[in-house]
Amino acid sequence: MPVFTRLRQLPGKKNTLPDETSLSEPTPTDAGDSPQAPPESAAEEDTAQEPAAPSVETAAPHDDAGTHSEDTSQGPPAPSDEPAAADSGDAPDPADEPAVADGKGSPQGPPAPGGESSTGGAGGNSDTGEGAAEPGATPPTTRAIRIRRALHWTTTTLAAALILAALLLPNTLPALQPNRFTRIPAEAIIGAVVMLALPRRPRLIAATLYGIGLAVLTVLNLLDIGFNEYLGRGFNAALDWDLLPDAQSYVADTMGGAVATGAAIGGVILILLLMALMAAATIHLSTLLTAHKARATQGALIAGTVWITCTALNLQAFGIPIASDHAAGALRTHAQRTVDSLEDEARFAEEAKADTFGNTPPDQLLPDLRGKDVVFTFIESYGRSAIEDPLMAPGVGRTLDASNEALAKAGFHARSGWLTSATFGGSSWLGHSTTMSGLWIDNQRRYRTVTAGEHLTLTKAFQKTGAWDTVGVMPGVQKGWPESKWYGLDRLYNAWQLGYKGPKFSWSTMPDQYALEAFQRQIHGKKHDKPLMSFVILTSSHQPWAPIPKMVDWEDLGDGSVFDAIQKAGEKPGDVLTDTTKSREEYGKSVEYSLTSLTQWMERYGTDDTVLVFLGDHQPMARVSGNHASRDVPISIVAKDPKVLDKIADWNWTDGLKPAKDAPVWRMSAFRDRFLTAYGSTPRASN
């Protein structure tokens, strides 16, 4: 292939291209004069493919690119308007020429054979040097460069902040303080070292996985915060996914179906977006590290040395250790929870098979309660905090004192103590099943295991005797409830079978006063061939404690429509949930309402043979009960027959409806066996 050289235009001549016979291969001198010589291999290839052209005998025409070639054997150079530097054979850098920089250069001549551009000088090389603009292109201005640089460093800063926040994010709300984000995370140092050591493709894969892992860790920490706030414990990845549909149902009942659906969809989108952002951030930073590998390696070494020193000397800043392995610790904790939960499932299945009263004959179960109508009632979220917290205790205390006095006038007496619930802040069914089964049921997997088996519940013990009709009143149940068989209930009345036509009160389907009146009208007040054992779950003190029903005249309850005006005039759930003080105040009021409803029902409809056992299922959520609140709930037994209370005299419970602060505290799972024993049951274990 002939090699075209740039030709200088003779004065007064037109800029024409000589034919191929007037050109020759550039000599070493010519190649040296050109701005950039062609690669040696390319020159050899051209020579091999085409014969050399004859030497140029006359001065070559000139182009406006500012470069030229000349035959050093032909004498002085042709006249030129170019600067002296050009005449001396030192070709100027095209990037420094105004004409080229502005994109206004003179015609560059025809392209070299083979389609190669001749704009780059001898040999047709199109690389005009670093910083040169393409023909017709405008180079970035100083302002554009500054904007681009600012965007780069802003992106880098945000990426680093996002990663550090994920690595240092605590898993409890009280720990969410600025000083938690001033630590040096070991995981960041290790991540930098790994990225620096990997080739490009494995590095990109590792950075993506690292970013997705940080997103998962962030979600787990946020779930921990939520679970600690509401349930007083961290999230268990092996057990708690089953609770998410219940959480959505709660939001739907409280805030509306549209809000619940929007929250669910929004949550999924946010998680996916978080994964994408984390992956992009780690890829960006890993690319930056490898672009400055020497300095990044030195920085990682220094950071690692500082971390080890701070760990060894236990150095602190702002009241916490400077060195952090929080992310690794959080993952270890979640992994251990999962392993423990899987191992616990097998152990609990064996534990549930053993039952102290599993083989007790029917006639030896509860002989000292024969002929009594026994009512087991759970008051939602009725915990120790309601009785002892300075904000809530005054109102609840007055209600208990007034109710105790009214019951005493009606001939009833009570004894009260404490039980430590298996759950906290929610999952009421765990408290119900623990109390009735005598087993510690503190998670959903245990609940499913025990309810699928034949372990004897306290309620089923009444059914087993054949001396009682057993019924369940569940105003909170709005669908099928197969657990009724495990509880030993002959009949079940759910939310749709109590005749209520009034409004819902947030999650609660109906006011407790109405549910108890419906229980009296449809079940308890009717004549029976046998005494009743009733299992009643009240709901009015369920969060969000807004709006709260008010007591109305029992004669005016009707179908519940009387509550329409009360519901409309009540507090809005959103206003209460977002205000901690308001939540605590309204919670106390809701407990007062439930206690008043139940004790007035007992005062109004209780007989000489009625025995009422009522208790809380769990404490309210941590934001209401306090971050270090116990799991204790009050329990009371109320009866007219003094023999009923005499049977539990050795329990040392407090007289009245309000247990003393130092009254005995049992695990909730201990109640079944103590109750069965107190009322004459003979233990006979099953294996």
Side-chain angles (χ1 to χ4, degrees), residues 230 376-389 392-404 407 414-429 431-432 435 512 536-543 545 584 586-599 612-621 624-625 629-638 653-661 663 668:
Y230 282 87
F376 292 99
T377 302
F378 282 88
I379 296 179
E380 173 66 36
S381 302
Y382 179 37
R384 183 185 279 263
S385 296
I387 293 177
E388 296 182 354
D389 184 271
M392 300 170 283
V396 174
R398 286 191 297 269
T399 299
L400 289 172
D401 291 340
S403 298
N404 195 68
L407 286 171
R415 297 267 178 93
S416 301
W418 302 104
L419 299 179
T420 299
S421 178
T423 185
F424 185 100
S427 301
S428 303
W429 56 92
H432 306 158
T435 305
D512 289 347
V536 182
I537 309 297
L538 301 179
T539 62
S540 287
S541 50
H542 195 289
Q543 62 188 27
W545 311 296
R584 300 176 71 210
E586 297 304 303
Y587 160 72
K589 293 177 183 177
S590 71
V591 171
E592 293 173 34
Y593 170 78
S594 293
L595 287 170
T596 301
S597 297
L598 181 59
T599 55
L612 172 64
V613 181
F614 74 91
L615 67 156
D617 46 15
H618 54 72
Q619 284 265 54
M621 64 180 182
V624 172
S625 60
S630 72
R631 291 190 169 207
D632 297 346
V633 297
I635 180 170
S636 301
I637 298 180
V638 184
W653 281 11
T654 305
D655 287 336
L657 297 177
K658 183 165 64 175
K661 190 171 185 178
M668 188 175 267

Side-chain angles (χ1 to χ4, degrees), residues 43 59 96 126 151 171 177 179 223 226 228 407 417 433 442 469 493 551-552 597 658:
D96 296 333
S126 63
L151 289 174
N171 64 350
Q177 302 294 332
N179 62 349
L223 286 171
N228 277 303
L407 286 171
S433 55
D442 60 350
D469 286 334
Y493 294 82
M551 294 296 296
V552 300
S597 297
K658 183 165 64 175

Side-chain angles (χ1 to χ4, degrees), residues 44-87:
E44 292 173 357
E45 181 181 351
D46 290 344
T47 303
Q49 292 178 357
E50 298 194 25
S55 299
V56 177
E57 299 297 333
T58 60
H62 171 263
D63 69 6
D64 288 340
T67 58
H68 69 282
S69 63
E70 58 184 68
D71 188 347
T72 55
S73 65
Q74 297 302 320
S80 172
D81 295 333
E82 299 295 324
D87 289 343

Side-chain angles (χ1 to χ4, degrees), residues 301-605:
L301 179 62
I302 293 172
T305 303
V306 171
W307 192 93
I308 293 172
T309 302
C310 291
T311 301
L313 301 178
N314 194 27
L315 298 181
Q316 297 191 358
F318 307 106
I320 58 173
I322 296 174
S324 167
D325 61 351
H326 169 73
L331 291 176
R332 281 196 304 270
T333 298
H334 280 282
Q336 191 61 49
R337 283 179 193 165
T338 301
V339 172
D340 291 345
S341 298
L342 296 177
E343 292 177 351
D344 174 74
E345 184 178 7
R347 287 196 305 267
F348 181 73
E350 291 301 315
E351 180 185 344
K353 293 178 182 178
D355 190 342
T356 305
F357 292 90
N359 285 334
T360 300
D363 61 342
Q364 296 179 24
L365 286 171
L366 302 161
D368 296 341
L369 284 176
R370 300 298 170 100
K372 302 295 184 186
D373 287 328
V374 182
V375 183
F376 292 99
T377 302
F378 282 88
I379 296 179
E380 173 66 36
S381 302
Y382 179 37
R384 183 185 279 263
S385 296
I387 293 177
E388 296 182 354
D389 184 271
L391 183 62
M392 300 170 283
V396 174
R398 286 191 297 269
T399 299
L400 289 172
D401 291 340
S403 298
N404 195 68
E405 183 178 350
L407 286 171
K409 288 181 179 179
F412 293 97
H413 301 281
R415 297 267 178 93
S416 301
W418 302 104
L419 299 179
T420 299
S421 178
T423 185
F424 185 100
S427 301
S428 303
W429 56 92
L430 302 181
H432 306 158
S433 55
T434 296
T435 305
M436 294 295 118
S437 70
L439 295 171
W440 191 254
I441 305 173
D442 60 350
N443 61 62
Q444 190 67 13
R445 190 157 292 177
R446 282 191 165 211
Y447 179 78
R448 288 183 174 179
T449 298
V450 72
T451 55
E454 298 296 328
H455 193 87
L456 184 68
T457 60
L458 182 52
T459 47
K460 194 168 187 176
F462 282 86
Q463 183 191 53
K464 185 176 179 180
T465 66
W468 280 273
D469 286 334
T470 58
V471 297
V473 179
M474 308 284 178
V477 173
Q478 303 180 61
K479 55 186 178 181
W481 198 58
E483 290 93 330
S484 63
K485 180 180 179 182
W486 179 71
Y487 276 105
L489 302 177
D490 298 324
R491 290 172 289 159
L492 176 69
Y493 294 82
N494 63 24
W496 312 112
Q497 296 168 311
L498 295 173
Y500 184 66
K501 303 299 182 182
K504 288 183 66 175
F505 283 75
S506 193
W507 184 87
S508 177
T509 58
M510 66 190 69
D512 289 347
Q513 185 185 9
Y514 178 88
L516 290 166
E517 176 65 22
F519 165 56
Q520 177 64 26
R521 182 173 59 245
Q522 295 181 229
I523 307 161
H524 186 264
K526 292 184 176 181
K527 290 184 178 182
H528 301 87
D529 295 334
K530 302 176 184 178
L532 280 176
M533 190 292 302
S534 305
F535 188 46
V536 182
I537 309 297
L538 301 179
T539 62
S540 287
S541 50
H542 195 289
Q543 62 188 27
W545 311 296
I548 300 172
K550 296 183 183 299
M551 294 296 296
V552 300
D553 193 295
W554 289 85
E555 302 295 338
D556 296 334
L557 284 169
D559 63 0
S561 301
V562 67
F563 290 103
D564 284 337
I566 296 173
Q567 191 263 357
K568 291 177 182 177
E571 298 280 353
K572 298 295 185 289
D575 296 338
V576 173
L577 278 176
T578 56
D579 186 329
T580 299
T581 301
K582 192 73 173 174
S583 293
R584 300 176 71 210
E585 291 173 347
E586 297 304 303
Y587 160 72
K589 293 177 183 177
S590 71
V591 171
E592 293 173 34
Y593 170 78
S594 293
L595 287 170
T596 301
S597 297
L598 181 59
T599 55
Q600 283 193 13
W601 176 87
M602 185 65 168
E603 178 188 352
R604 183 179 177 88
Y605 298 117

Side-chain angles (χ1 to χ4, degrees), residues 204-279:
L204 292 177
I205 295 173
T208 301
L209 295 177
Y210 188 85
I212 293 174
L214 288 181
V216 171
L217 175 64
T218 301
V219 172
L220 290 176
N221 282 330
L222 292 175
L223 286 171
D224 271 347
I225 290 175
F227 271 68
N228 277 303
E229 280 295 293
Y230 282 87
L231 302 180
R233 62 174 177 82
F235 175 75
N236 190 319
L239 304 175
D240 290 334
W241 297 110
D242 292 338
L243 299 181
L244 296 182
D246 293 319
Q248 184 178 8
S249 297
Y250 166 72
V251 174
D253 290 332
T254 303
M255 310 295 292
V259 173
T261 302
I265 295 173
V268 172
I269 292 174
L270 286 176
I271 290 173
L272 295 176
L273 181 61
L274 181 64
M275 288 183 175
L277 286 175
M278 284 292 186

